[in-house]
Amino acid sequence: MLSKEALKRKYNRGDYTVGAHTVPKFAREAAPEATTARFQTSALPAGFVENLAGLAGVTEVVTEAAAVTAGVRDWWAGTMIAETDHRGQYPDTVIVKVSSVEGIQAVLAAANEAGVPVTASAARSNVTGSALPAAGGVVLDVLALDQVLDFDEESQIITVQPGIFGDIFEQWLQDRGFTAGNWPSSFGISTVGGWVACRGAGQLSTRYGKIEDMVVGLDVVLADGTLVSTGGSPRAAVGPDLNQVFTGSEGTLGVITSVSLRVHRLPDYTKALAFGFPSFAAGLDACREILQRGANPAVLRLYDELESGVQFGHGETNVLLIADEGNPIIIDAVMAVVADVCKDAVVLDQDAILETRLDTRYLTGKSAEGFKASAGFVADTLEMVAPWSKLPGIYERVVAAINAVPGTNAGSAHQSHAYVDGACLYFSLRGTVEPDERQAWYDQVWQAVNSVLIEENASISHHHGCGLLRSPYVADSLGTGFTVLSDLKKALDPKGILNPGKLGL
């Protein structure tokens, strides 16, 4: 396991130093009002920065432009396009590093009084621009809050601070015979607080659930510096679930300072199977049948022909991989259901499939069988969720929409997280255009896909969150429910200082 310092060096990407950074300009005809106001900046009041440096719990205030640029950099494709286009930096932005909850409270109270925007930030592994300071102001770095606060082993509930990295958190648990069961692709460069703030999911979610299924309780600092606690019980009927108000709020309603999660005993038995289906729709139907018969394997992933070919060398079929872990009696029963549902499918070598499942070189253009990286190459992913009845049609429409954008290499997808009533499709977007046309291609392909999803009444995100990337589409996606979110924002953050420009707010 990498040390925390090694992880920080890895995440800061010292070898990635091309250009300066700015939030990319979006040119989406469907939401022009959302693409202008959110990029306005707010000048910092006189004496404000000096005041922050003197607050208890504040360990550093970063003001130098290049250091701020490096300190807010994330993994969003839009960020990478902007930096390699040598666009400007963040004006009127400082990074404030804190070491305590009291420090967070003090910074928020000061910013709220002065009307200065605050964007909470930790490992910055987000791929939608959620932690980018679109309106300038304070970037509140909570990485130093990285401790395990409590572990109730009998109840299997752990409480940690938001800045603890995923692999460090998991190793702490495994050393004691437990697991969180949350394995996102960003595992080694993301934090528990980020998982909760963006409503993330791990690759074994069918067995263990998404992060919102794991949250028992939260401590959150509101915009005015008030500390509140939510949840804490296995279940409750005392009004709405307040944990879920802040889970997925992306720092727009408050700053998470501690998280209590349900954890599990380490599994002692594993099993896997793999099959090939003649069409993506047929594979989806098998996934649906497995779940609706009551089986819930940890991994239930279906890859279309393009991804099956590039990743597994099985371009003649649609690969379905099933893997599970846990009690042998339960796992054998789950796999018996799987085998019965897939009895007419082509049996594949599950060990060979497992060996290459996490090889994603085809997304970056590094695979000899995939797409060649070049100065004009753009790659990104898009995850959405819808009921089973709509998924085959959505798959066909979205792939067609991606491929219809000039400059697209190919669109493809796999089904990555499944439920009794529906599933997440995870699309890959790849294009090769002239370097100065990358942003236009990127905007156009995202506009094309989201138009389909909104028309189909599908959820526009399953686990990456919204950030700046999806902000223009949130109101249309939520429909009349968006007014509730907007009113909630006004009630909890009346001055609108918390992470402006996100969630369509």
Side-chain angles (χ1 to χ4, degrees):
M1 184 181 69
L2 292 174
S3 70
K4 184 185 299 185
E5 288 305 311
L7 280 169
K8 289 180 179 178
R9 288 194 298 272
K10 177 177 70 171
Y11 183 74
N12 285 335
R13 297 190 298 173
D15 59 339
Y16 187 70
T17 56
V18 286
H21 180 80
T22 187
V23 179
K25 178 182 179 182
F26 288 76
R28 296 188 173 99
E29 294 180 0
E33 70 286 349
T35 63
T36 55
R38 64 181 189 177
F39 295 114
Q40 295 172 359
T41 58
S42 301
L44 300 177
F48 177 74
V49 174
E50 292 76 11
N51 178 48
L52 291 179
L55 295 176
V58 172
T59 59
E60 184 180 0
V61 178
V62 180
T63 59
E64 196 271 322
V68 169
T69 296
V72 301
R73 180 180 293 137
D74 61 8
W75 289 82
W76 178 26
T79 299
M80 299 178 192
I81 292 171
E83 288 210 17
T84 53
D85 277 350
H86 301 277
R87 290 187 244 147
Q89 298 175 335
Y90 293 105
D92 304 316
T93 302
V94 297
I95 298 174
V96 180
K97 299 183 180 182
V98 292
S99 60
S100 66
V101 175
E102 292 75 18
I104 294 174
Q105 291 181 271
V107 171
L108 284 175
N112 188 64
E113 182 179 356
V116 173
V118 178
T119 301
S121 176
R124 298 171 286 121
S125 63
N126 188 266
V127 294
T128 67
S130 287
L132 294 177
V138 171
V139 173
L140 183 62
D141 186 334
V142 301
L143 266 181
L145 281 77
D146 59 359
Q147 299 300 300
V148 174
L149 300 176
D150 183 65
F151 184 37
D152 180 346
E153 186 170 325
E154 184 176 2
S155 304
Q156 296 185 186
I157 297 173
I158 189 168
T159 302
V160 299
Q161 292 181 309
I164 189 168
F165 277 91
D167 58 348
I168 294 172
F169 170 56
E170 179 66 23
Q171 189 63 58
W172 193 97
L173 283 169
Q174 291 199 10
D175 287 345
R176 292 156 178 81
F178 295 88
T179 177
N182 195 57
W183 299 87
S185 297
S186 62
F187 182 64
I189 57 171
S190 60
T191 63
V192 173
W195 297 349
V196 176
C198 291
R199 215 172 181 85
Q203 298 180 67
L204 309 185
S205 67
T206 309
R207 164 66 61 195
Y208 296 108
K210 284 179 82 240
I211 195 68
E212 63 263 30
D213 303 309
M214 305 176 188
V215 173
V216 176
L218 299 171
D219 284 341
V220 182
V221 178
L222 302 181
D224 64 358
T226 302
L227 177 66
V228 299
S229 297
T230 65
S233 300
R235 289 290 186 270
V238 189
D241 186 348
L242 297 181
N243 287 331
Q244 299 304 322
V245 170
F246 297 101
T247 301
S249 65
E250 300 186 26
T252 63
L253 302 179
V255 176
I256 295 169
T257 62
S258 79
V259 180
S260 295
L261 298 172
R262 301 176 180 92
V263 298
H264 309 268
R265 298 178 186 179
L266 272 176
D268 54 9
Y269 182 75
T270 63
K271 201 167 186 178
L273 296 169
F275 302 93
F277 286 85
S279 68
F280 195 67
L284 286 175
D285 196 51
C287 293
R288 177 190 59 79
E289 186 67 16
I290 289 168
L291 269 295
Q292 291 181 353
R293 287 194 190 185
N296 62 327
V299 174
L300 185 67
R301 293 203 164 209
L302 172 71
Y303 300 80
D304 69 6
E305 287 187 0
L306 177 57
E307 296 194 11
S308 295
V310 171
Q311 193 162 1
F312 305 121
H314 282 288
E316 78 288 352
T317 191
N318 296 263
V319 171
L320 174 60
L321 172 65
I322 306 99
D324 209 356
E325 62 181 28
N327 183 292
I329 297 173
I330 295 173
I331 304 310
D332 285 344
V334 166
M335 288 304 186
V337 173
V338 168
D340 186 57
V341 171
C342 301
K343 60 181 180 294
D344 295 326
V346 176
V347 178
L348 302 176
D349 182 349
Q350 68 267 15
D351 292 333
I353 299 297
L354 277 169
E355 285 178 3
T356 57
R357 183 173 71 88
L358 295 180
D359 184 353
T360 56
R361 290 175 297 169
Y362 70 96
L363 290 177
T364 62
K366 296 178 182 177
S367 170
E369 299 175 306
F371 303 97
K372 300 294 183 180
S374 68
F377 180 75
V378 185
D380 201 9
T381 57
L382 178 153
E383 27 63 66
M384 51 70 60
V385 62
W388 290 113
S389 59
K390 290 188 173 185
L391 286 178
I394 288 175
Y395 166 75
E396 296 290 346
R397 289 193 64 191
V398 169
V399 169
I402 296 169
N403 290 335
V405 177
T408 296
N409 293 330
S412 62
H414 60 274
Q415 183 279 112
S416 58
H417 306 267
Y419 311 93
V420 170
D421 52 345
C424 165
L425 297 188
Y426 196 101
F427 292 91
S428 293
L429 328 170
R430 315 169 196 85
T432 303
V433 294
E434 293 299 319
D436 61 355
E437 296 175 353
R438 292 175 302 161
Q439 189 70 61
W441 178 86
Y442 189 68
D443 289 347
Q444 189 174 351
V445 76
W446 272 89
Q447 172 65 33
V449 171
N450 279 289
S451 294
V452 172
L453 299 182
I454 290 170
E455 184 178 318
E456 293 279 358
N457 198 30
S459 177
I460 61 174
S461 179
H462 174 266
H463 58 273
H464 285 171
C466 296
L468 292 172
L469 177 59
R470 288 186 169 101
S471 191
Y473 309 108
V474 171
D476 284 340
S477 181
L478 295 182
T480 54
F482 181 74
T483 59
V484 177
L485 176 62
S486 181
D487 289 344
L488 182 61
K489 169 72 170 177
K490 293 173 184 175
L492 294 179
D493 180 19
K495 292 188 177 181
I497 69 163
L498 292 177
N499 209 5
K502 317 299 167 55
L503 296 181
L505 298 169

